[in-house]
Amino acid sequence: MGHLGWTDLWCVLIRPPNKASRLCTETASMRIMVAIKRVIDYAVKIRVKPDKSGVETSNVKMSMNPFCEIALEEALRIKESGRASEVVAVSVGPAQCVDTLRTGLAMGADRAIHVEFPGTLYPLSIAKILKALVDAEKPGLLLLGKQAIDDDCNQTGQMIAGLLKWPQGTFASKVVLDEENKVATVDREVDGGLETLCLDLPAVITTDLRLNQPRYASLPNIMKAKSKVIKKLTPQDLNIEIRSDLEVVQVTDPPKRKAGVILSSVDELIDKLKNEARVL
Amino acid sequence: MAIRSLLGAFRKRSFVTRAVSCYRSLSTLILAEHERGVLKASSLSAVEAAKCLGENNSISLLLAGTGPSLQEAAAHAASCHPSISQVLLAESDKFAYPLAEAWAKLVHVVQQKGSYSHIIAGSGSFGKNILPRAAAILDVSPITDVTEINGSNLFVRPIYAGNALSTVRYTGSAPCMLTIRSTSFPLGATPAPSVSNAASVDKVDLSTLSEDDAIGKSKYISLSSQDTDRPDLGNARIVVTGGRALKSAENFKLIEKLAEKLGAAVGATRAAVDAGFVPNELQVGQTGKIVAPELYMAFGVSGAIQHIAGMRDSKVIVAVNKDADAPIFQVADYGLVGDLFEIIPELLEKLPEKK
């Protein structure tokens, strides 16, 4: 497998029209790209490695980042409403990301792209890789989760929007597409409440927890997903040089809180708060 | 270590810029938020954080907006903190609302002129929305939610919902961009505002703010917020939080009553928000707000990893729960096992009147 030209990819795109695009012929030509990340499952209690180099990830349950699931669900709902023709899931990272992409395909994504890179990647590199994919795939909407629950960065969507010079709707709890006017109305969860923005398409939207309830993949769809295409690329194929301006010095456990006490009555609680903790 | 960084420097031929970014004098730009003519507390925390970067750090504050409230905020900013040496004012209709597209470009323009070594914003929704976009335009990696600063390029930040602390070194070129967790950089005793050592207020030249960029591709429509008299959740001295066990929005009023009695802010778990008891801006946790009050009282909160992430740095934690095995008791200083529907009314009755 040598250098992969983009022509290979276009061949994949020529496929029989699906139900949604037949219903809504001209307008539903928009493609949605969804970026998904493979992370340690949210319910796992993580362990810091004894050598302080990071967090133990071998033999630990991995899943799709919960916010990415929400982004994918939203893309699928937009497609099912006839406002998009295709949903492309992309993931950047080690070989096992294919499993996460397979999950995305089982949920209903049409095809997937895996940019394989075994080492550590920071959001700036991810954003550059995603920009190259956007330049090639020309989606009308790019959906991401608002943050990954492992690095808790909350940066990638904003960074790719900056690189693309696209408008951004971060922390979205509601997305309404108006494909006729090529705009998206986005409700954002901000500190003081809910903010509503109107974005010109193409745009980048990052999803908050309350945007939707992601579906489970059914068994037939899991079977179907096995025959869907996952395109493999490397950062070199996209002419992206991975460099890093950050270096993790150490990863440690947070300081432990001292053990607390169980009290027997409200009177005792008020007394402790007043006289021992002195917070009342 | 030294050899590796030297090799890296030769490879990228950026040795000069690195040396410059590490050793020349510090200058910090703070992306500041203002509301009704005053600086927000999170922006002042960013000033406290900037002071931790090193000695002789000249601190500039960037304010953007339009109209009289901007002027008031500028006057407030110039005299409210002795460490602020300059206030930069970007006055334009483009900044009537804090849109990321215009702000990121503004940061780019200001950085080109001022060549700051560091750019800092609070890690609220404002900073998190804008700073990474600006960082990408400046081609540097930002660092989110910094809780500790050890010199000009060594930072500590929580990862995995606060279950691990990561120490990162920034090795890139200037500016080094951070969002800081406000609760980790509390305001010192604020000296009385004095006009005598007021910072200079300068207007930003906006003529190079290009129109061909993303500015104008996003429009502000509206903001819906709940007006309350209660203190702001992020800065409150006491926070009273309710979880799923409250069972209904009606019952949640018990929490609100208790908060009122204590002069506290009200928080909620994801379960309580999802069930519709309270609006989502009250959610405390990994995806909601991070709080570190003096007293945090959790009622009917089980203590999921994601919730603990938002309150583990509180000074005193009180948990009231029926289930003696609830994980919340592992982080609580004082626990009370019992029915919150009996305990809250008793507390309401026996708590001293607030001063």
Side-chain angles (χ1 to χ4, degrees), chain B residues 8-328:
Chain B
F10 278 124
R11 202 178 59 234
K12 275 173 251 153
R13 308 208 311 159
S14 61
F15 186 69
V16 180
T17 40
R18 276 183 187 211
V20 166
S21 70
C22 289
Y23 301 118
R24 85 162 172 212
S25 62
L26 296 168
S27 56
T28 303
L29 180 72
I30 287 165
L31 314 185
E33 255 185 304
H34 59 101
E35 191 180 43
R36 297 188 196 99
V38 288
L39 274 195
K40 282 202 183 171
S42 59
S43 304
L44 289 168
S45 289
V47 177
E48 293 294 329
K51 281 162 62 185
C52 302
L53 290 168
E55 298 287 313
N56 299 322
N57 183 4
S58 95
I59 301 174
S60 303
L61 211 80
L62 177 59
L63 277 175
T66 181
S69 77
L70 177 69
Q71 303 299 334
E72 279 171 47
H76 176 243
S79 60
C80 70
H81 198 297
S83 298
I84 299 171
S85 56
Q86 189 192 21
V87 176
L88 292 166
L89 215 54
E91 186 165 19
S92 161
D93 290 343
K94 294 190 183 79
F95 303 117
Y97 305 101
L99 295 173
E101 294 74 16
W103 255 97
K105 195 68 199 164
L106 171 66
V107 173
H108 187 230
V109 167
V110 172
Q111 172 62 18
Q112 276 179 333
K113 188 134 186 291
S115 305
Y116 297 92
S117 63
H118 293 78
I119 300 180
I120 306 183
S123 56
S125 57
F126 167 86
K128 279 187 172 158
N129 187 37
I130 291 165
L131 189 119
R133 185 180 179 107
I137 295 172
L138 292 163
D139 197 25
V140 301
S141 283
I143 305 167
T144 300
D145 231 3
V146 168
T147 53
E148 198 182 316
I149 295 177
N150 297 314
S152 64
N153 63 357
L154 202 58
F155 311 102
V156 179
R157 60 178 301 267
I159 55 175
Y160 289 93
N163 286 300
L165 297 177
S166 172
T167 305
V168 290
R169 179 176 288 121
Y170 183 70
T171 57
S173 52
C176 170
M177 300 180 74
L178 320 168
T179 64
I180 58 105
R181 186 173 282 190
S182 304
T183 52
S184 300
F185 299 94
L187 299 175
T190 6
S194 69
V195 189
S196 57
N197 61 357
S200 67
V201 178
D202 300 300
K203 283 212 160 170
V204 178
D205 175 13
L206 296 175
S207 59
T208 52
L209 205 70
S210 59
E211 287 289 349
D212 61 335
D213 212 75
I215 301 175
K217 289 187 189 168
S218 65
K219 276 173 219 71
Y220 173 94
I221 307 289
S222 64
L223 174 72
S224 65
S225 63
Q226 299 238 326
D227 271 330
T228 64
D229 307 329
R230 280 193 291 271
D232 176 49
L233 183 55
N235 305 310
R237 204 179 68 81
I238 303 177
V239 173
V240 183
T241 290
R244 196 201 309 266
L246 266 299
K247 293 199 182 98
S248 70
E250 194 55 41
N251 290 338
F252 209 92
K253 295 215 161 67
L254 273 175
I255 295 284
E256 291 169 14
K257 255 190 218 158
L258 184 60
E260 207 160 301
K261 181 126 196 195
L262 289 164
V266 170
T269 65
R270 179 188 175 184
V273 175
D274 279 353
F277 302 168
V278 284
N280 52 30
E281 68 252 32
L282 297 188
Q283 186 178 334
V284 171
Q286 184 182 21
T287 59
K289 295 224 169 64
I290 311 282
V291 301
E294 283 179 36
L295 174 60
Y296 188 89
M297 304 183 84
F299 292 90
V301 173
S302 65
I305 296 172
Q306 291 76 17
H307 182 75
I308 303 285
M311 45 67 86
R312 66 186 310 148
D313 294 327
S314 306
K315 282 211 186 68
V316 177
I317 297 174
V318 172
V320 175
N321 205 305
K322 251 201 273 201
D323 176 8
D325 295 326
I328 189 81

Side-chain angles (χ1 to χ4, degrees), chain A residues 20 23 73 75-84 107-108 215:
Chain A
L23 279 173
E73 175 65 35
L76 297 172
R77 289 186 189 187
I78 292 170
K79 186 188 162 190
E80 283 158 1
S81 72
R83 291 184 174 86
M107 280 173 71
R215 69 193 67 186

Side-chain angles (χ1 to χ4, degrees), chain A residues 40 42-46 48 55 57 67 70 122-125 127-128 146-156 158-171 173 183 185 188-202 208-210 213 241 243-255 257-267 269-270 272-274 276-280, chain B residues 1 4 12 33 98-101 124-126 128-130 132-133 135-137 139-144 154 157-173 212-214 216-226 237-238 262 270 273-274 280-281 283 286-289 294-295 297 305-306 311-318 320 329 331-337 343 346-347 350-352 355:
Chain A
I40 293 182
Y42 73 95
V44 170
K45 185 148 175 33
I46 57 127
V48 172
V55 165
T57 53
F67 290 100
I70 294 167
Y122 295 105
L124 182 58
S125 301
K128 287 177 180 175
K146 81 163 179 180
Q147 77 190 69
I149 59 162
D150 52 358
D151 60 27
D152 281 332
C153 275
N154 197 328
Q155 298 171 346
T156 308
Q158 295 87 310
M159 295 184 87
I160 183 174
L163 295 178
L164 288 165
K165 298 189 165 97
W166 286 7
Q168 69 190 50
T170 50
F171 327 143
S173 62
V183 294
T185 308
R188 305 180 55 228
E189 295 198 12
V190 296
D191 287 343
L194 272 185
E195 181 187 75
T196 307
L197 298 181
C198 183
L199 311 174
D200 291 354
L201 295 177
D208 216 317
L209 213 52
R210 258 163 283 279
Q213 190 66 50
E241 186 208 350
R243 61 177 178 87
S244 166
D245 47 8
L246 286 178
E247 186 191 320
V248 174
V249 179
Q250 63 167 17
V251 173
T252 54
D253 282 308
R257 293 187 71 95
K258 67 170 174 58
V261 288
I262 298 288
L263 309 174
S264 56
S265 70
V266 168
D267 293 314
L269 174 63
I270 292 177
K272 292 275 187 194
L273 291 178
K274 257 195 210 161
E276 191 175 276
R278 297 177 183 281
V279 284
L280 282 186
Chain B
M1 179 60 241
R4 200 169 69 186
K12 275 173 251 153
E33 255 185 304
L99 295 173
E101 294 74 16
S125 57
F126 167 86
K128 279 187 172 158
N129 187 37
I130 291 165
R133 185 180 179 107
I137 295 172
D139 197 25
V140 301
S141 283
I143 305 167
T144 300
L154 202 58
R157 60 178 301 267
I159 55 175
Y160 289 93
N163 286 300
L165 297 177
S166 172
T167 305
V168 290
R169 179 176 288 121
Y170 183 70
T171 57
S173 52
D212 61 335
D213 212 75
K217 289 187 189 168
S218 65
K219 276 173 219 71
Y220 173 94
I221 307 289
S222 64
L223 174 72
S224 65
S225 63
Q226 299 238 326
R237 204 179 68 81
I238 303 177
L262 289 164
R270 179 188 175 184
V273 175
D274 279 353
N280 52 30
E281 68 252 32
Q283 186 178 334
Q286 184 182 21
T287 59
K289 295 224 169 64
E294 283 179 36
L295 174 60
M297 304 183 84
I305 296 172
Q306 291 76 17
M311 45 67 86
R312 66 186 310 148
D313 294 327
S314 306
K315 282 211 186 68
V316 177
I317 297 174
V318 172
V320 175
F329 286 120
V331 297
D333 300 284
Y334 303 115
L336 209 50
V337 179
I343 290 171
E346 197 180 338
L347 271 169
K350 292 180 175 169
L351 275 174
K355 290 148 237 161

Side-chain angles (χ1 to χ4, degrees), chain A:
Chain A
M1 222 163 79
H3 178 81
L4 295 160
W6 285 105
T7 40
D8 313 26
L9 216 67
W10 302 132
C11 299
V12 179
L13 304 182
I14 305 164
R15 42 175 54 238
N18 56 23
K19 248 188 239 160
S21 60
R22 242 181 280 141
L23 279 173
C24 196
T25 46
E26 268 178 50
T27 48
S29 59
M30 188 175 77
R31 180 175 301 146
I32 302 178
M33 189 183 274
V34 184
I36 61 184
K37 184 176 184 182
R38 175 178 175 268
V39 298
I40 293 182
D41 189 83
Y42 73 95
V44 170
K45 185 148 175 33
I46 57 127
R47 277 188 304 123
V48 172
K49 287 183 188 169
D51 66 358
K52 297 186 178 178
S53 63
V55 165
E56 193 60 68
T57 53
S58 50
N59 294 320
V60 173
K61 187 187 176 198
M62 307 292 280
S63 308
M64 191 188 294
N65 179 42
F67 290 100
C68 302
E69 276 186 71
I70 294 167
L72 180 54
E73 175 65 35
E74 193 65 17
L76 297 172
R77 289 186 189 187
I78 292 170
K79 186 188 162 190
E80 283 158 1
S81 72
R83 291 184 174 86
S85 54
E86 193 187 32
V87 174
V88 184
V90 304
S91 191
V92 186
Q96 300 93 316
C97 288
V98 167
D99 302 338
T100 315
L101 286 172
R102 227 23 111 184
T103 308
L105 293 171
M107 280 173 71
D110 296 288
R111 62 191 170 88
I113 302 172
H114 175 210
V115 180
E116 189 166 352
F117 188 81
T120 310
L121 285 168
Y122 295 105
L124 182 58
S125 301
I126 303 277
K128 287 177 180 175
I129 289 168
L130 290 178
K131 178 180 186 294
L133 291 176
V134 165
D135 289 342
E137 292 280 337
K138 310 245 177 316
L141 184 64
L142 177 59
L143 282 165
L144 304 92
K146 81 163 179 180
Q147 77 190 69
I149 59 162
D150 52 358
D151 60 27
D152 281 332
C153 275
N154 197 328
Q155 298 171 346
T156 308
Q158 295 87 310
M159 295 184 87
I160 183 174
L163 295 178
L164 288 165
K165 298 189 165 97
W166 286 7
Q168 69 190 50
T170 50
F171 327 143
S173 62
K174 190 179 171 197
V175 175
V176 179
L177 281 188
D178 176 353
E179 67 271 37
E180 201 172 306
N181 297 313
K182 291 206 173 306
V183 294
T185 308
V186 179
D187 285 0
R188 305 180 55 228
E189 295 198 12
V190 296
D191 287 343
L194 272 185
E195 181 187 75
T196 307
L197 298 181
C198 183
L199 311 174
D200 291 354
L201 295 177
V204 176
I205 292 175
T206 74
T207 57
D208 216 317
L209 213 52
R210 258 163 283 279
L211 183 58
N212 59 46
Q213 190 66 50
R215 69 193 67 186
Y216 290 103
S218 64
L219 187 60
N221 286 342
I222 293 170
M223 300 310 287
K224 247 190 267 172
K226 292 189 172 160
S227 58
K228 289 182 179 174
V229 178
I230 298 181
K231 174 108 179 165
K232 242 187 189 10
L233 293 169
T234 64
Q236 290 78 39
D237 296 332
L238 300 164
N239 280 321
I240 305 291
E241 186 208 350
I242 304 293
R243 61 177 178 87
S244 166
D245 47 8
L246 286 178
E247 186 191 320
V248 174
V249 179
Q250 63 167 17
V251 173
T252 54
D253 282 308
K256 290 230 176 346
R257 293 187 71 95
K258 67 170 174 58
V261 288
I262 298 288
L263 309 174
S264 56
S265 70
V266 168
D267 293 314
E268 202 184 343
L269 174 63
I270 292 177
D271 175 64
K272 292 275 187 194
L273 291 178
K274 257 195 210 161
N275 302 320
E276 191 175 276
R278 297 177 183 281
V279 284
L280 282 186

